[in-house]
């Protein structure tokens, strides 16, 4: 009985290993398709935030306004392609007749494309890590509206890439002082002052604003002296 169980476990592992080898080709295909699609769209800014934010919520309406104003400045807008803040960002881009991109992901509870994405700019991925590379390689800035774990994941991913020099210094903006200030206070008091796990200049990589005017002006000033180019 023990020998049979041992053989069964080994057989299962062998099958899993073979599946992983074939999986590499699917991952490569997602990278190639994503790179080719996004490289042709031009300079864009990614807007992140909660999928649960409803129409009429102040943050939803602020995301619409920020995306609209940035699109009027000539930037395309990239979102995660779903509802909530993602929808608001794409809506703002379309209101300004700008490029509206959705980088969607397959989830157990199917995430649908929102209606404000350009039909020729709907990208779909099975793997979160491939999708994140698409955001970070081509975005000329990152606007973080209030959100949950996914937004935090993207925020710290981008902050880490900029901090370590793995991507060029790119605008990283948090919107909503009431929402984000507590996190920034903890980073300052605990990460920096108490544990010395970051350097003082690392906090300078992050900007915190409350209004569309502040966000748009920051991007405008930044790109008067910095080139538009892929981040790595």
């Amino acid at each position: 009985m023990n020998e049979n169980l041992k053989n069964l476990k080994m057989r299962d592992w062998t099958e899993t290993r073979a599946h992983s080898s074939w999986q590499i080709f699917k991952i490569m295909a997602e990278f190639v398709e994503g790179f080719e699609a996004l490289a042709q769209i031009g300079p864009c800014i990614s807007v992140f935030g909660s999928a649960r934010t409803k129409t009429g919520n102040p943050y939803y309406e602020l995301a619409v306004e920020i995306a609209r104003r940035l699109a009027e400045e000539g930037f395309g807008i990239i979102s995660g392609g779903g509802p909530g803040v993602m929808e608001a960002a794409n809506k703002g881009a379309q209101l300004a007749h700008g490029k509206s991109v959705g980088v969607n992901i397959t989830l157990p509870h199917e995430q649908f494309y929102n209606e404000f994405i350009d039909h020729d700019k709907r990208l779909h991925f099975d793997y979160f890590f491939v999708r994140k590379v698409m955001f970070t390689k081509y975005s000329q800035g990152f606007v973080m509206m209030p959100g949950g774990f996914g937004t935090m994941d993207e925020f710290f991913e981008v902050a880490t890439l900029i901090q370590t020099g793995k991507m060029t210094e790119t605008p990283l903006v948090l919107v909503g002082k009431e929402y984000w200030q507590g996190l920034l206070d903890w980073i300052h008091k605990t990460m920096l002052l108490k544990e010395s796990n970051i350097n003082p200049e690392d906090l300078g990589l992050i900007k915190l604003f409350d209004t569309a005017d502040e966000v748009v002006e920051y991007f405008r000033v930044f790109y008067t002296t910095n080139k538009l180019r892929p981040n790595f």
Side-chain angles (χ1 to χ4, degrees):
M1 183 65 177
N2 289 338
E3 188 64 28
N4 289 337
L5 187 60
K6 179 180 178 182
N7 290 337
L8 177 62
K9 289 181 177 179
M10 181 56 69
R11 183 166 64 250
D12 287 346
W13 169 245
T14 302
E15 291 169 355
T16 301
R17 187 169 54 188
H19 171 71
S20 296
S21 297
W22 281 106
Q23 204 171 27
I24 292 171
F25 294 101
K26 184 170 182 4
I27 292 168
M28 289 174 60
E30 288 202 353
F31 274 121
V32 171
E33 291 171 7
F35 284 164
E36 289 184 346
L38 286 169
Q40 297 177 33
I41 293 173
C44 293
I45 291 172
S46 290
V47 180
F48 298 95
S50 177
R52 305 181 186 190
T53 305
K54 304 298 183 185
T55 306
N57 181 294
Y59 290 125
Y60 182 101
E61 303 306 328
L62 183 55
V64 172
E65 178 67 6
I66 289 171
R68 182 185 66 79
R69 296 274 303 277
L70 289 172
E72 289 172 349
E73 291 291 324
F75 293 100
I77 300 296
I78 301 176
S79 85
V85 168
M86 295 176 281
E87 175 187 292
N90 292 125
K91 181 178 180 179
Q94 282 205 347
L95 286 173
H97 306 289
K99 297 175 181 178
S100 182
V101 186
V103 182
N104 216 317
I105 185 75
T106 300
L107 297 175
H109 36 87
E110 193 75 20
Q111 178 172 304
F112 57 88
Y113 285 105
N114 69 67
E115 63 180 300
F116 300 104
I117 302 167
D118 297 343
H119 290 293
D120 62 339
K121 298 178 180 63
R122 294 182 173 186
L123 285 72
H124 190 85
F125 298 94
D126 284 330
Y127 301 99
F128 264 116
F129 62 89
V130 178
R131 182 181 184 234
K132 284 166 64 175
V133 170
M134 298 305 135
F135 281 124
T136 54
K137 180 173 177 63
Y138 289 105
S139 293
Q140 302 301 291
F142 302 88
V143 176
M144 305 291 178
M145 303 297 297
F149 287 165
T151 304
M152 297 295 169
D153 178 44
E154 295 290 355
F155 166 50
F156 283 110
E157 175 90 9
V158 172
T160 300
L161 290 171
I162 298 172
Q163 178 205 41
T164 56
K166 286 297 184 180
M167 64 183 283
T168 55
E169 186 171 345
T170 306
L172 175 55
V173 174
L174 304 180
V175 179
K177 292 179 181 178
E178 183 179 0
Y179 191 86
W180 292 104
Q181 191 63 63
L183 175 62
L184 293 182
D185 288 344
W186 176 81
I187 291 173
H188 180 258
K189 293 175 183 176
T190 304
M191 273 192 185
L192 175 62
L193 299 181
K194 183 178 179 181
E195 301 295 341
S196 300
N197 287 330
I198 60 173
N199 294 323
E201 57 268 25
D202 294 335
L203 286 173
L205 303 174
I206 305 163
K207 304 300 179 184
L208 177 61
F209 299 126
D210 262 335
T211 68
D213 285 343
E214 292 172 305
V215 174
V216 174
E217 182 62 17
Y218 175 59
F219 277 100
R220 186 184 293 122
V221 171
F222 185 91
Y223 281 111
T224 58
T225 56
N226 291 275
K227 294 181 179 179
L228 293 165
R229 58 188 176 186
N231 294 315
F232 50 84

